[in-house]
Amino acid sequence: MQVMSDAASQGHIQKWWKEQIVYQIYPRSFKDSNGDGVGDLSGIIDKLDYIKSLGVTSVWINPIYASPNDDNGYDISDYRAIMPEFGTMADFDELLEGLHARGIKFIMDLVVNHSSDEHEWFKQSRSSRDNPYRDYYHWWPAEKGKPNWRWSYFDERGDAWKYDEQTDSYYLHYFAVKQPDLNWENPKVRQEVYDIMHFWAQKGVDGFRLDAFQFVSKDTDFPQLPEEYMEGKQQIIKYHGMGPNIHPYLREMYDEVLSKYDVFAVSEGAGSTFQDAHDLVDTHRNELQIAYHFEGAELGKNVDNPHTLLEFKQLYSAWDESFSSDGWLSIFLANHDMSRMVSRWGNDSEEYREVSTKLLNTFLLTMRGTPFTYFGDELGMTNIRFQTIEEYKDIDAINGYKKAQADGADMDTFMRNLIEYSRDNSRTPMQWDASPQAGFTTGEPWINVHANHSVINVEAQETDPHSPLNHFRELTALRQQHKVLVYGDYDLLLPEHEDIYAYTRYLDDESMLVLMNFSAITHTVHIPQLQAHTKVLVNNTTECVIEGDVITLTPYQAVVLG
Ligand code: NOJ
Ligand code: CA
């Protein structure tokens, strides 16, 4: 193990998983190989050379296990089988081999806060109160009265308790009614999970992404919660998860599984404070390795009160500072639960879509932390913005709509937010070419292809040296060649500037200067660090006007100087 010099980020031990550039694939929407309208593993196999060409080094694929698809694979009915719509175990083996042959690592999504209600464990568990699987889930006998309210993300009424006649009891589901929470207090459940992890680790997967893991430890007496428990996402996490046993469970998982292979684990969600996140991933804790916090994802998620660049800079700078000497973060601007990157954080108008996509990828690939890029964002794919509820496929949108209606919410505000932030925005098919279904399928796609695929697509961008796609490749190459972008310290410049995000990254005797104009206004700024950084390494426009220590940044211009 190599330790960094003192001059560099003390404490940041070099690890292969810190150096990864992760490409996230939503398998249902990437490439359909058999014309049934659903993306599949063979489709991904067909595109391995494309993935390699991006310069990414790891692939995370959303769940591919057997599932009735109430929540598109996040409701698993068999953790050792591949969903037939996606292919077979032989396809999986071929995919893993194909990735490894290209030097690309594979991250498996592991969804073990809950299973599907169609999992054999749950079928057994619900069948009788004395079934040996009864304690695999959280049951509340009805003779004790109605259990205290718990929040459910995807329930039509927001109620996490579902009454089940068969045994006159309620079961707990923090997510959809078909996603019952597993009972981690039961050592047999934990052993089952470790066995599943061994199964996949022995197949050769290189990492696990632990879905909703902060919720596995909860107060199983289910006391009444104080009023403030619903005041924002952080409160929900605090009162529904991050319970007293989270760390013992994670240490057990580390001892039993993670420490036995050269693998890493990333936690989805990281509690509600910096300290919570550190406690999950700091080196000496031997629990998880990478924290995937939600504060960035939640910033300004309200059409009537969007975020400002100042808030964005403060947030990312504060997280970086907190993790400057121990613990490790991921950096992401989109995923399958968020809107499209350029629609959310950039400017997806025809005029600025390409340049602002390149700016956002500049940020993503020059920050400290392991970058996670979401498929299609290398092209600048945009939100589809379905206008009517009938067009939505996502259980979150559909049940959220029903709940808002039942609550008498202002449906105009609800729809305006749904149109902008719905998860379906990022789940439309990959845009490979300008043909009718964007080269995604020869059949009817499971969700509409975005009409703008005639303009935004891989084929068109391959041949344009200035396309977002080719710019993305320049950035991944730069990050792979310069460890300063991985491990180097980060210093925010111009902290008060409302439109410009500027920072340096430095490690030993190497340093880089990153300058990004997050607005449609041209700015001329004075930056003393320009004197020491004269070489333009990457630029998202054709020109770069620097005179001494003054630079002019045109709308959405982003440059990396060395
Ligand atoms: C988080 C996943 O990212 C999301 O897509 C899913 O719906 C929930 N966890 C429940 O598994
Ligand atoms: Ca298919």
Side-chain angles (χ1 to χ4, degrees):
M1 206 54 40
Q2 203 185 333
V3 181
M4 312 287 304
S5 71
D6 284 339
S9 309
Q10 33 129 336
H12 277 308
I13 300 161
Q14 297 196 5
K15 293 278 187 188
W16 64 264
W17 41 263
K18 294 182 182 173
E19 294 170 21
Q20 297 303 297
I21 300 171
V22 182
Y23 188 62
Q24 183 194 342
I25 294 178
Y26 199 65
R28 185 161 286 274
S29 303
F30 195 61
K31 174 73 187 158
D32 172 24
S33 69
N34 61 354
D36 67 355
V38 174
D40 45 52
L41 300 187
S42 290
I44 302 174
I45 294 169
D46 290 345
K47 296 295 181 184
L48 283 174
D49 287 336
Y50 170 76
I51 295 167
K52 175 73 185 167
S53 80
L54 296 174
V56 298
T57 59
S58 283
V59 163
W60 155 31
I61 305 188
N62 294 98
I64 52 176
Y65 311 87
S67 162
N69 278 312
D70 203 51
D71 182 22
N72 285 2
Y74 280 96
D75 45 325
I76 295 167
S77 51
D78 184 347
Y79 291 91
R80 289 182 180 78
I82 300 293
M83 187 191 305
E85 267 184 319
F86 287 167
T88 62
M89 193 58 85
D91 295 331
F92 174 79
D93 293 338
E94 187 185 337
L95 171 61
L96 189 61
E97 207 180 297
L99 286 166
H100 285 166
R102 290 167 180 79
I104 300 172
K105 310 271 188 191
F106 178 76
I107 304 169
M108 190 80 182
D109 212 321
L110 188 70
V111 190
V112 287
N113 171 67
H114 44 271
S115 71
S116 163
D117 67 342
E118 296 183 32
H119 194 292
E120 190 55 33
W121 299 334
F122 191 75
K123 290 187 194 162
Q124 295 282 337
S125 184
R126 111 191 295 177
S127 67
S128 75
R129 288 192 179 189
D130 54 13
N131 186 281
Y133 287 91
R134 185 67 171 180
D135 290 341
Y136 271 45
Y137 297 87
H138 298 283
W139 290 98
W140 184 273
E143 63 272 18
K144 278 171 66 183
K146 217 175 172 270
N148 284 313
W149 176 268
R150 285 296 179 275
W151 166 250
S152 166
Y153 284 98
F154 305 148
D155 187 70
E156 290 182 34
R157 291 179 308 126
D159 181 356
W161 291 106
K162 168 75 180 163
Y163 177 71
D164 200 48
E165 255 178 16
Q166 214 165 331
T167 56
D168 190 28
S169 305
Y170 297 82
Y171 71 83
L172 185 77
H173 62 93
Y174 276 179
F175 294 90
V177 70
K178 283 177 69 62
Q179 291 170 299
D181 280 44
L182 283 159
N183 176 14
W184 274 70
E185 304 294 304
N186 181 349
K188 282 195 209 145
V189 167
R190 304 203 297 275
Q191 210 47 59
E192 297 269 15
V193 170
Y194 307 146
D195 288 350
I196 291 165
M197 293 176 81
H198 281 298
F199 174 84
W200 293 101
Q202 277 159 22
K203 275 191 167 287
V205 309
D206 307 285
F208 293 98
R209 177 257 184 194
L210 300 184
D211 182 79
F213 200 79
Q214 53 193 355
F215 294 116
V216 299
S217 175
K218 40 202 160 244
D219 185 342
T220 50
D221 292 335
F222 299 106
Q224 191 160 4
L225 297 178
E227 281 291 297
E228 79 254 22
Y229 81 96
M230 278 300 295
E231 286 166 11
K233 192 149 187 159
Q234 308 299 19
Q235 297 293 346
I236 296 182
I237 294 167
K238 186 167 141 201
Y239 287 109
H240 289 75
M242 293 303 281
N245 290 327
I246 187 111
H247 298 296
Y249 294 163
L250 285 171
R251 270 192 294 276
E252 185 181 75
M253 178 187 283
Y254 183 85
D255 290 343
E256 299 249 343
V257 186
L258 299 175
S259 63
K260 306 223 156 88
Y261 306 87
D262 190 14
V263 297
F264 72 97
V266 46
S267 80
E268 191 222 8
S272 34
T273 61
F274 290 146
Q275 193 55 50
D276 279 353
H278 274 292
D279 290 347
L280 292 169
V281 297
D282 277 0
T283 318
H284 72 278
R285 296 192 58 97
N286 289 334
E287 295 188 20
L288 301 173
Q289 289 66 50
I290 305 181
Y292 190 97
H293 71 80
F294 285 136
E295 236 185 285
E298 288 302 306
L299 182 67
K301 199 176 168 189
N302 178 347
V303 277
D304 295 321
N305 189 17
H307 73 282
T308 64
L309 179 69
L310 281 180
E311 291 166 335
F312 185 91
K313 295 201 285 192
Q314 279 156 9
L315 189 154
Y316 282 98
S317 301
W319 275 91
D320 183 84
E321 192 188 339
S322 177
F323 282 73
S324 58
S325 54
D326 200 4
W328 195 254
L329 297 173
S330 58
I331 291 284
F332 65 97
L333 290 173
N335 62 35
H336 64 293
D337 295 331
M338 298 170 68
S339 345
R340 278 282 167 193
M341 177 180 78
V342 68
S343 300
R344 177 75 186 276
W345 311 106
N347 181 332
D348 67 5
S349 67
E350 214 181 304
E351 188 175 6
Y352 295 125
R353 173 177 44 77
E354 291 212 340
V355 72
S356 69
T357 295
K358 295 186 222 173
L359 163 130
L360 294 167
N361 282 325
T362 305
F363 167 75
L364 192 70
L365 290 159
T366 59
M367 283 293 281
R368 180 155 48 187
T370 300
F372 281 62
T373 201
Y374 187 62
F375 86 94
D377 284 343
E378 71 274 29
L379 309 175
M381 279 175 59
T382 65
N383 282 354
I384 193 158
R385 299 191 172 95
F386 290 132
Q387 297 295 310
T388 60
I389 191 64
E390 290 71 33
E391 291 168 278
Y392 286 84
K393 303 282 182 199
D394 178 15
I395 186 168
D396 188 26
I398 295 166
N399 285 352
Y401 185 89
K402 288 185 194 157
K403 181 166 188 301
Q405 261 186 334
D407 291 349
D410 170 0
M411 293 312 285
D412 173 60
T413 306
F414 178 88
M415 276 312 289
R416 284 189 301 116
N417 277 295
L418 188 66
I419 288 166
E420 217 43 56
Y421 301 116
S422 160
R423 313 197 293 179
D424 279 342
N425 278 316
S426 60
R427 298 179 177 185
T428 63
M430 178 68 167
Q431 295 170 193
W432 295 104
D433 59 39
S435 68
Q437 300 300 356
F440 164 68
T441 181
T442 53
E444 271 301 303
W446 73 276
I447 189 169
N448 288 354
V449 165
H450 199 304
N452 67 14
H453 72 273
S454 54
V455 190
I456 308 173
N457 64 67
V458 173
E459 194 177 66
Q461 294 199 15
E462 281 290 358
T463 50
D464 172 5
H466 303 298
S467 65
L469 173 61
N470 283 315
H471 178 259
F472 181 84
R473 289 173 171 144
E474 278 181 57
L475 288 165
T476 54
L478 187 76
R479 191 172 179 99
Q480 287 209 45
Q481 284 153 19
H482 298 271
K483 285 202 175 162
V484 60
L485 291 177
V486 178
Y487 297 106
D489 275 332
Y490 158 100
D491 267 355
L492 180 67
L493 310 174
L494 306 178
E496 307 299 331
H497 204 295
E498 289 178 5
D499 290 335
I500 306 256
Y501 194 169
Y503 48 83
T504 50
R505 301 290 316 276
Y506 52 96
L507 175 73
D508 299 330
D509 52 5
E510 190 173 18
S511 96
M512 287 192 191
L513 175 62
V514 182
L515 304 175
M516 300 174 287
N517 178 2
F518 272 71
S519 77
I521 303 163
T522 296
H523 285 283
T524 299
V525 281
H526 169 232
I527 298 181
Q529 286 79 356
L530 279 165
Q531 304 278 11
H533 299 86
T534 50
K535 191 166 169 221
V536 177
L537 300 172
V538 182
N539 178 14
N540 67 346
T541 64
T542 43
E543 270 187 81
C544 186
V545 182
I546 302 174
E547 279 169 37
D549 53 11
V550 173
I551 185 165
T552 299
L553 292 165
T554 54
Y556 299 101
Q557 184 166 14
V559 287
V560 184
L561 299 123

